[in-house]
Amino acid sequence: MTGRSLDGMIVLVSGAAGGIGRTVVLKVARAGAVVLACDRPGSSWKALDKAWLSDEQLSADEATQPLERIELDLSSLQGARAFVDEAARRFGRVDGLVNIAGYWQTKPFLDITPDQLDEMLDANLKTAFYPAQAVVPLMLKQGRGRIVHFASTAGEYGSISPGSHYAAAKGAVIGLTKSMAREVSIHGILVNAISPGPIDTTALSGGAMLDIGVASQRTLLGRLGEPAEVAEVVVFLLSEAASFITGQIIGVNGGSRL
């Protein structure tokens, strides 16, 4: 897909300061959308700010404007409503929501504490559920909208590394995506999820090199995916090119599950 296919859209992106998140922000902006980026309080925006100011593919006007951003805890309905309300205040509407916010942790099943389970559900399920719940009323009034959740291959097939609490949370995101699509697609709101496989981000590279090598070899391409390859699919799902796609879990995994 080429061209500025998201011209004029207002798109909210959570988890925007992370490796995939900041790439999505840049790709969506390059495609013509106005982006309101959100991450949790205390997040480091240095990498995204640097990429924003140095991105030659942004227009001169975009590159000289500060990135529209906000810091909120989206694991609460109050925080999610504040995110949507701020977008409505600044721009008057919301056309797309991309829920990337999440957290990955490895832990043997029997060692997972109640607090760790709650933390994983907060970070991976509630940060998708509550922003979607907050934005759908506005999209219903508009008669259209696009919502893209982020699942994981761990949610589809189980976690390769010990992490059943993470897999359970991401599996819930898949159920959320399909159930939401059944309810709201008839009203012009398309809901899909991206399920990344092993992607070359700081979260993955924080593990042992052996783990990274194993992850690379799980794909049919023999390498990790790039954040830009995930971001391109986000742009597609937000665009009119995906106007007959809803309730789907789109695997961006290099064939790692075949």
Side-chain angles (χ1 to χ4, degrees), residues 8 12 38 42 44-45 48 51 85 93-94 96 106 155 169 181 201 204 207 216 218 221 243 246 255:
L12 311 187
C38 181
S44 174
W45 296 91
L48 178 52
D85 289 347
R93 68 179 197 281
V94 175
T106 59
T201 63
L204 184 62
S216 299
R218 289 207 329 263
L221 305 178
S243 58
T246 193

CSV table of all heavy atoms in Angstrom, one decimal, residues 8 12 38 42 44-45 48 51 85 93-94 96 106 155 169 181 201 204 207 216 218 221 243 246 255:
chain,number,residue,atom,x,y,z
A,8,GLY,N,-6.3,13.0,6.9
A,8,GLY,CA,-7.4,13.6,7.7
A,8,GLY,C,-7.9,12.8,8.9
A,8,GLY,O,-8.7,13.3,9.6
A,12,LEU,N,-5.6,7.5,17.7
A,12,LEU,CA,-5.0,7.4,19.0
A,12,LEU,C,-4.1,6.2,19.1
A,12,LEU,O,-4.6,5.1,18.6
A,12,LEU,CB,-6.1,7.3,20.1
A,12,LEU,CG,-7.2,8.3,20.1
A,12,LEU,CD1,-8.1,8.1,21.3
A,12,LEU,CD2,-6.7,9.7,20.0
A,38,CYS,N,0.0,8.0,23.4
A,38,CYS,CA,-0.1,7.9,24.8
A,38,CYS,C,0.8,6.8,25.3
A,38,CYS,O,0.9,5.8,24.7
A,38,CYS,CB,-1.6,7.6,25.2
A,38,CYS,SG,-1.9,7.4,26.9
A,42,GLY,N,5.7,8.6,33.3
A,42,GLY,CA,7.1,8.3,33.5
A,42,GLY,C,7.8,7.6,32.4
A,42,GLY,O,9.0,7.3,32.5
A,44,SER,N,9.7,7.1,28.9
A,44,SER,CA,10.8,7.9,28.2
A,44,SER,C,10.3,8.1,26.7
A,44,SER,O,10.1,7.1,26.0
A,44,SER,CB,12.1,7.1,28.2
A,44,SER,OG,13.1,7.8,27.4
A,45,TRP,N,10.2,9.3,26.3
A,45,TRP,CA,9.8,9.7,25.0
A,45,TRP,C,11.0,10.0,24.1
A,45,TRP,O,10.9,10.4,23.0
A,45,TRP,CB,8.9,10.9,25.0
A,45,TRP,CG,7.6,10.6,25.7
A,45,TRP,CD1,7.3,10.7,27.0
A,45,TRP,CD2,6.4,10.0,25.1
A,45,TRP,NE1,6.0,10.3,27.3
A,45,TRP,CE2,5.4,9.9,26.1
A,45,TRP,CE3,6.0,9.7,23.8
A,45,TRP,CZ2,4.1,9.5,25.9
A,45,TRP,CZ3,4.7,9.2,23.6
A,45,TRP,CH2,3.8,9.1,24.6
A,48,LEU,N,11.3,8.4,20.6
A,48,LEU,CA,10.2,8.8,19.6
A,48,LEU,C,10.4,10.2,19.2
A,48,LEU,O,10.3,10.6,18.1
A,48,LEU,CB,8.8,8.6,20.3
A,48,LEU,CG,7.6,9.0,19.5
A,48,LEU,CD1,7.7,8.4,18.1
A,48,LEU,CD2,6.3,8.7,20.2
A,51,ALA,N,13.2,10.4,16.7
A,51,ALA,CA,12.7,9.8,15.4
A,51,ALA,C,11.8,10.8,14.7
A,51,ALA,O,11.8,11.0,13.5
A,51,ALA,CB,12.1,8.5,15.6
A,85,ASP,N,-11.4,11.7,25.8
A,85,ASP,CA,-11.9,13.1,26.0
A,85,ASP,C,-10.9,14.1,25.5
A,85,ASP,O,-11.2,15.1,24.9
A,85,ASP,CB,-12.2,13.3,27.4
A,85,ASP,CG,-13.5,12.5,27.9
A,85,ASP,OD1,-14.2,12.0,27.0
A,85,ASP,OD2,-13.7,12.4,29.1
A,93,ARG,N,-13.0,14.7,17.1
A,93,ARG,CA,-13.4,13.3,16.8
A,93,ARG,C,-12.3,12.4,17.0
A,93,ARG,O,-11.1,12.8,17.2
A,93,ARG,CB,-14.0,13.3,15.4
A,93,ARG,CG,-12.9,13.4,14.3
A,93,ARG,CD,-13.5,13.3,12.9
A,93,ARG,NE,-12.5,13.1,11.9
A,93,ARG,CZ,-11.7,14.1,11.4
A,93,ARG,NH1,-11.9,15.3,11.8
A,93,ARG,NH2,-10.8,13.8,10.5
A,94,VAL,N,-12.6,11.1,16.9
A,94,VAL,CA,-11.6,10.0,16.8
A,94,VAL,C,-12.0,9.0,15.7
A,94,VAL,O,-13.0,8.5,15.8
A,94,VAL,CB,-11.5,9.3,18.2
A,94,VAL,CG1,-10.5,8.1,18.1
A,94,VAL,CG2,-11.0,10.2,19.3
A,96,GLY,N,-9.6,6.5,14.7
A,96,GLY,CA,-8.9,5.2,14.9
A,96,GLY,C,-8.3,5.1,16.2
A,96,GLY,O,-7.9,6.1,16.8
A,106,THR,N,8.4,-13.3,31.7
A,106,THR,CA,8.5,-14.8,31.8
A,106,THR,C,8.5,-15.2,33.3
A,106,THR,O,9.1,-14.6,34.1
A,106,THR,CB,9.8,-15.3,31.1
A,106,THR,OG1,10.9,-14.7,31.8
A,106,THR,CG2,9.8,-14.9,29.7
A,155,GLY,N,-1.0,-15.7,22.8
A,155,GLY,CA,-2.4,-15.8,23.1
A,155,GLY,C,-3.1,-16.7,22.2
A,155,GLY,O,-4.2,-17.2,22.5
A,169,ALA,N,-3.6,-13.3,29.2
A,169,ALA,CA,-4.1,-11.9,28.9
A,169,ALA,C,-4.2,-11.6,27.4
A,169,ALA,O,-5.2,-11.0,27.0
A,169,ALA,CB,-3.1,-10.9,29.6
A,181,ALA,N,-16.3,-7.1,17.6
A,181,ALA,CA,-16.6,-7.0,16.2
A,181,ALA,C,-18.0,-7.5,15.9
A,181,ALA,O,-18.8,-6.9,15.1
A,181,ALA,CB,-15.6,-7.8,15.4
A,201,THR,N,12.6,-6.0,19.1
A,201,THR,CA,12.4,-4.9,20.0
A,201,THR,C,13.2,-5.0,21.2
A,201,THR,O,13.8,-6.1,21.5
A,201,THR,CB,10.9,-4.8,20.4
A,201,THR,OG1,10.6,-5.9,21.1
A,201,THR,CG2,10.0,-4.7,19.1
A,204,LEU,N,12.3,-8.0,23.5
A,204,LEU,CA,12.8,-9.3,23.1
A,204,LEU,C,14.3,-9.4,23.3
A,204,LEU,O,14.8,-10.4,23.9
A,204,LEU,CB,12.5,-9.6,21.7
A,204,LEU,CG,12.9,-11.0,21.2
A,204,LEU,CD1,12.1,-12.1,22.0
A,204,LEU,CD2,12.6,-11.2,19.7
A,207,GLY,N,16.2,-10.5,26.5
A,207,GLY,CA,16.5,-11.9,26.9
A,207,GLY,C,17.8,-12.4,26.5
A,207,GLY,O,18.7,-11.6,26.0
A,216,SER,N,14.4,-16.5,16.3
A,216,SER,CA,14.6,-16.3,14.8
A,216,SER,C,14.4,-17.5,14.0
A,216,SER,O,13.8,-17.5,12.9
A,216,SER,CB,16.0,-15.8,14.6
A,216,SER,OG,16.3,-14.6,15.3
A,218,ARG,N,12.5,-19.9,14.6
A,218,ARG,CA,11.1,-20.4,14.6
A,218,ARG,C,10.3,-19.9,13.4
A,218,ARG,O,9.3,-20.4,13.0
A,218,ARG,CB,10.3,-19.9,15.9
A,218,ARG,CG,10.8,-20.7,17.1
A,218,ARG,CD,9.7,-20.7,18.2
A,218,ARG,NE,8.8,-19.6,18.2
A,218,ARG,CZ,8.9,-18.5,19.0
A,218,ARG,NH1,9.9,-18.4,19.8
A,218,ARG,NH2,8.0,-17.6,18.9
A,221,LEU,N,11.4,-17.5,7.8
A,221,LEU,CA,12.4,-16.6,7.1
A,221,LEU,C,13.7,-16.6,7.8
A,221,LEU,O,14.7,-16.0,7.4
A,221,LEU,CB,11.8,-15.2,7.1
A,221,LEU,CG,10.4,-15.0,6.4
A,221,LEU,CD1,10.0,-13.6,6.4
A,221,LEU,CD2,10.5,-15.5,5.0
A,243,SER,N,-11.7,-2.1,4.3
A,243,SER,CA,-13.1,-1.8,4.6
A,243,SER,C,-14.0,-3.1,4.8
A,243,SER,O,-15.1,-2.9,5.3
A,243,SER,CB,-13.7,-0.9,3.6
A,243,SER,OG,-13.6,-1.5,2.3
A,246,THR,N,-13.1,-7.3,9.4
A,246,THR,CA,-13.4,-7.1,10.8
A,246,THR,C,-13.4,-8.4,11.6
A,246,THR,O,-13.7,-9.5,11.0
A,246,THR,CB,-14.7,-6.3,11.0
A,246,THR,OG1,-14.8,-5.8,12.3
A,246,THR,CG2,-15.9,-7.1,10.6
A,255,GLY,N,5.6,-16.7,9.5
A,255,GLY,CA,5.2,-18.1,9.4
A,255,GLY,C,5.7,-18.9,10.5
A,255,GLY,O,5.8,-20.2,10.4
